[in-house]
Amino acid sequence: MSERLLAGVVTPIARQSYLGELTYERLKEIIVSGAFPPNEKLTVRSVAAALGVSTTPARDAINRLLSEGALINEGPKTVVLPSLTFEALDEITATRLALEGLAAERSVLAVAPADIAVLEQMQVAINAGLDAADYREVLKVNREFHFLIYRMSGWPRLVAMIESLWLRVGPSFNELYPDFATNRRGVANHLLAMQGLRAKDGAKVRSAMEQDIRDGYVRLKNMIRARR
Amino acid sequence: MSERLLAGVVTPIARQSYLGELTYERLKEIIVSGAFPPNEKLTVRSVAAALGVSTTPARDAINRLLSEGALINEGPKTVVLPSLTFEALDEITATRLALEGLAAERSVLAVAPADIAVLEQMQVAINAGLDAADYREVLKVNREFHFLIYRMSGWPRLVAMIESLWLRVGPSFNELYPDFATNRRGVANHLLAMQGLRAKDGAKVRSAMEQDIRDGYVRLKNMIRARR
DNA sequence: AATCCCATAATGATGCATCAAATATCAAAA
DNA sequence: TTTTGATATTTGATGCATCATTATGGGATT
């Protein structure tokens, strides 16, 4: 009976985090935050030692990031963080436009007033972060802003694919500072997106998010050009 | 000097396939071919025993398929092959339209006459398979037809994402027989795609492939409806 | 007949040893 | 100085034992 009583009321508790999961999350955080230089070798044992786990969880984490494309096999026993090339940036940007545009367009189907309120608060936090030049905070909230909208699509597999794309541009995005912390072009896009959500205008949300992606693309492209 | 001598003459030998890789490929084949019933439990040890390997490669293969979404965690220690629901089909179809449409549109940028000749031969094989009601052959060549076009996009990460989507509808597609083996609607789409490739008309290739996806969607939807 | 409880078996995660393969090192040769 | 080749070291893959957790089945209870 308790089953019926609880059905729909509670969700199953999140499965406990296993060491492999924690190692994966930690390693991902290190990679996305830009703390790990591109083209530097990663080994199972070095990761295991650095994170204080045995080889099995370390190997699991590396393999998982490998299958997501966040790391690549540069050789038979050589795993490195890929550096973003022009070609990769073009490909990933086009894919992002397709998938994030799709998710953005669908977001209006399930958006609630409470969601928009949260987005507004996030935008306040982004503006504050820009004022304080706290780029880490800006990036973090910006990411939450985007994914809150994408999750409104109600399509978790789509959101997961988008996440894997962000994982590939994330490391390079961190090199954009202080460009990102001082450039406020993204603010206008976010405001347009929120307007579209209020009006339940899917096309408008899509175009706003697409423009945000294109703005980021231009900056990343300039960065890559300067790097060479 | 031997470097210069051998340059361009020989290609590096393919790296040996590891057990984990072989196990993954084999398990994937079993799943895509529809030989494994949905909602049936998969365990590390059962896969290891069935394929004659130890638990490590079996676990690697299961985890990899899990991360691709080809298998899902139904519970803490319960891995099953997901059955395709209406919701999942809608989501995956929309994502396929976005990504395969993108790849199809770009295919004209790099298409060579030799590619079109190969596609024509594939279509001959598909027609022969339809005549012989050899659905397994039809499915196999149909898949090769699609991916040859997608690979022309020159975007390997995009192709990899499309592959993971096919992995999710593949098992159900096998239940479509003999519907698929007798229905020739896909032939017209393929012919249109080849026309578009010859004319280097990206929009035409895209619309042909999109129509092919939509036709498959309708049939899958009917199948799911009948299954319940 | 349906539900609950508990003992038992099964399972995934983890740690670790081993081995073949790849890399790094370095001295000898060109 | 550069290249080559032998040697030592490092590394990923694999197999397997162990352990805490979970699934399972059957009997007891309502």
Side-chain angles (χ1 to χ4, degrees), chain B residues 44-60:
Chain B
V44 169
R45 285 170 177 83
S46 66
V47 169
L51 299 185
V53 298
S54 79
T55 57
T56 304
R59 184 167 166 274
D60 285 352

Side-chain angles (χ1 to χ4, degrees), chain B residues 4 8-9 12 22 27 48 50-51 53 72 80 92 99 132 186 198 215 218 223:
Chain B
R4 180 167 299 166
V9 179
L22 292 174
L27 196 52
L51 299 185
V53 298
I72 59 169
V80 300
I92 293 168
L99 294 189
R198 283 193 204 91
D215 288 345
V218 171
M223 187 202 73

Side-chain angles (χ1 to χ4, degrees), chain A residues 1-2 15 18-20 41 45 53-57 76-78:
Chain A
M1 79 182 170
S2 60
R15 68 165 182 177
Y18 298 113
L19 260 186
K41 261 183 78 172
R45 285 171 177 84
V53 298
S54 78
T55 58
T56 304
K77 290 190 177 181
T78 311

Side-chain angles (χ1 to χ4, degrees), chain A:
Chain A
M1 79 182 170
S2 60
E3 259 178 43
R4 179 169 299 167
L5 187 68
L6 292 175
V9 178
V10 298
T11 69
I13 60 168
R15 68 165 182 177
Q16 69 177 40
S17 285
Y18 298 113
L19 260 186
E21 178 77 13
L22 292 174
T23 306
Y24 164 77
E25 295 291 346
R26 185 88 187 81
L27 196 53
K28 187 168 79 171
E29 172 62 27
I30 292 171
I31 290 171
V32 173
S33 72
F36 198 76
N39 298 315
E40 189 152 311
K41 261 183 78 172
L42 267 166
T43 68
V44 169
R45 285 171 177 84
S46 67
V47 169
L51 300 185
V53 298
S54 78
T55 58
T56 304
R59 184 167 165 274
D60 284 351
I62 290 176
N63 280 337
R64 195 160 154 194
L65 289 165
L66 224 33
S67 79
E68 291 180 42
L71 296 174
I72 58 169
N73 256 310
E74 192 71 18
K77 290 190 177 181
T78 311
V79 172
V80 301
L81 178 64
S83 64
L84 198 62
T85 62
F86 274 124
E87 297 74 29
L89 177 60
D90 285 347
E91 177 178 358
I92 293 169
T93 300
T95 310
R96 285 186 60 196
L97 285 169
L99 294 188
E100 296 180 39
L102 175 61
E105 183 143 23
R106 276 184 57 88
S107 65
V108 299
L109 298 179
V111 63
D115 293 324
I116 296 178
V118 173
L119 288 175
E120 283 168 347
Q121 287 187 325
M122 287 178 178
Q123 192 55 48
V124 169
I126 289 174
N127 290 335
L130 287 170
D131 291 336
D134 183 355
Y135 61 84
R136 192 168 300 274
E137 176 72 6
V138 173
L139 259 198
K140 175 170 161 287
V141 183
N142 179 64
R143 179 189 174 96
E144 290 168 357
F145 185 97
H146 278 255
F147 278 92
L148 177 53
I149 293 176
Y150 299 152
R151 273 196 303 273
M152 291 177 198
S153 71
W155 280 352
R157 300 162 195 82
L158 176 60
V159 175
M161 295 186 89
I162 295 172
E163 277 178 343
S164 82
L165 291 171
W166 278 59
L167 202 52
R168 301 189 198 183
V169 289
S172 297
F173 242 101
N174 279 279
E175 296 180 43
L176 276 183
Y177 297 101
D179 184 24
F180 196 96
T182 57
N183 189 314
R184 289 171 187 262
R185 200 175 310 169
V187 175
N189 296 324
H190 286 196
L191 293 180
L192 281 172
M194 286 190 281
Q195 284 176 20
L197 283 166
R198 283 192 205 91
K200 294 196 186 292
D201 180 348
K204 186 167 188 176
V205 181
R206 173 192 271 265
S207 74
M209 301 311 267
E210 285 181 348
Q211 192 54 47
D212 209 45
I213 294 169
R214 288 203 191 88
D215 287 346
Y217 168 76
V218 171
R219 285 184 283 175
L220 280 171
K221 197 164 185 178
N222 289 336
M223 186 202 73
I224 295 175
R225 187 177 294 123
R227 195 169 57 190
R228 303 196 308 186

Side-chain angles (χ1 to χ4, degrees), chain B residues 73-89:
Chain B
N73 254 308
E74 192 71 20
K77 291 190 176 184
T78 311
V79 172
V80 300
L81 179 64
S83 64
L84 197 62
T85 62
F86 274 123
E87 298 74 30
L89 177 60

